[in-house]
């Protein structure tokens, strides 16, 4: 048309998602990690698919009785809640300890079967946790003013599998979004 239009950024994201989604492996990243100690669980090795619908291989994760979840998820929990650690097992929360800026969740294993009405949480095994940062670019200017908060950094743990990926690889961090791997310890956020 003759009218100048400005397509919404969401349209570009949707177009880009169609291109990168089929080749982006899925990984877990927990921001501001909180330890979850799972009582009466036995060590196991779980196999996680790299993509839910396309054969991009899989990875094996050894899990003992301790995992990390994101602080945002942990703050929603109450004693007695039952949750599902995605592709692992269910736990029931038995205690929440807050000591000097440190939060620890104590749970007990409550089965392997997937229950549709149970909240699902991503996790990173303590013995497989790799320190990781995701750089999230924001608007550089707000109006005519420079936005000094234009770069946000999410710090936490990722699966150690991330260290096998080449810089430039695209991944989708579950429940976070698509990111471009910069190195073994960082990625740049692209979009949801």
């Amino acid at each position: 048309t003759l009218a100048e239009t400005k397509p919404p950024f969401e349209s570009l994201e949707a177009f880009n998602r169609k291109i990168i989604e089929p080749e982006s492996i899925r990984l877990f990243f927990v921001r501001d990690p909180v330890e979850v100690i799972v009582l009466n669980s036995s060590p196991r090795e779980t196999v996680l698919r790299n993509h839910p619908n396309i054969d991009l291989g899989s990875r094996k994760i050894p899990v003992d009785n301790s995992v990390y979840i994101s602080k945002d998820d942990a703050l929603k929990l109450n004693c007695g809640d039952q949750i599902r650690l995605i592709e692992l097992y269910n736990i029931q929360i038995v205690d929440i300890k807050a000591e000097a800026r440190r939060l620890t969740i104590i749970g007990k294993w409550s089965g392997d079967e997937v229950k549709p009405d149970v909240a699902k949480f991503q996790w990173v095994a303590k013995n497989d946790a790799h320190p990781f940062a995701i750089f999230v670019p924001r608007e550089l200017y707000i109006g005519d003013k420079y936005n000094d908060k234009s770069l946000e950094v999410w710090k936490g743990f990722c699966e150690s599998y991330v260290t096998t990926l080449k810089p430039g690889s695209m991944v989708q961090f579950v429940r976070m979004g698509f990111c471009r791997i910069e190195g073994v310890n960082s990625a740049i956020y692209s979009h949801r």
Side-chain angles (χ1 to χ4, degrees), residues 27-36 67-77 83-86 91 93 96 103-105 120-125 129 132 134 154-159 173-177:
L27 290 175
F28 291 148
F29 170 79
V30 292
R31 182 178 172 191
D32 301 325
V34 171
E35 185 175 9
V36 178
V67 300
Y68 293 107
I69 63 172
S70 293
K71 185 176 183 179
D72 288 346
D73 288 335
L75 292 174
K76 298 173 190 171
L77 296 175
I83 65 169
R84 171 97 182 152
L85 298 175
I86 299 171
I91 62 172
I93 307 305
I96 299 171
L103 186 63
T104 304
I105 308 289
K120 294 169 181 62
F121 288 58
Q122 65 176 331
W123 54 276
V124 173
F132 203 76
I134 298 176
W154 296 343
K155 293 182 179 180
F157 291 129
C158 185
E159 301 171 53
F173 288 113
V174 176
R175 294 177 52 212
M176 302 294 261

Side-chain angles (χ1 to χ4, degrees), residues 29-46:
F29 170 79
V30 292
R31 182 178 172 191
D32 301 325
V34 171
E35 185 175 9
V36 178
I37 299 169
V38 185
L39 307 174
N40 73 329
S41 69
S42 54
R44 62 175 71 193
E45 185 175 77
T46 190

